[in-house]
Amino acid sequence: MVEFTTEPFELDTFPEHAVAARKVVDEAGLAVAVGPFGTGAEGEADQVLAAVTKLLRETLDAGATRISVQVSVLGEGGGTP
């Protein structure tokens, strides 16, 4: 599982870097959950790691000035080991 937030925040619109991040996780085939303080995406380890690499590149290219990323390994049933 990966949780991420891209900055700078914009309240009126979705900035290009946020759109780029969502596109990356969608195209990777990850299960996405958007929350008030960030986005979570779950999938197989290889899928998630490849998506994180692409997410970092594409969101920075789209104008992100900060990207916070947390990667967690989930055990059976969705909980942490």
Side-chain angles (χ1 to χ4, degrees):
M1 172 180 198
V2 62
E3 295 178 88
F4 62 90
T5 304
T6 61
E7 296 178 41
F9 297 113
E10 293 181 27
L11 299 177
D12 297 334
T13 64
F14 289 107
E16 286 185 44
H17 55 82
V19 173
R22 179 59 191 255
K23 182 178 177 188
V24 166
V25 293
D26 284 343
E27 288 177 352
L30 303 177
V32 179
V34 178
F37 302 109
T39 301
E42 290 186 37
E44 295 297 318
D46 289 341
Q47 280 180 294
V48 171
L49 293 174
V52 168
T53 300
K54 188 173 181 181
L55 183 142
L56 293 171
R57 285 189 184 121
E58 294 196 11
T59 56
L60 289 169
D61 286 347
T65 57
R66 172 182 266 182
I67 307 161
S68 301
V69 177
Q70 179 175 321
V71 176
S72 301
V73 176
L74 302 179
E76 279 189 41
T80 54

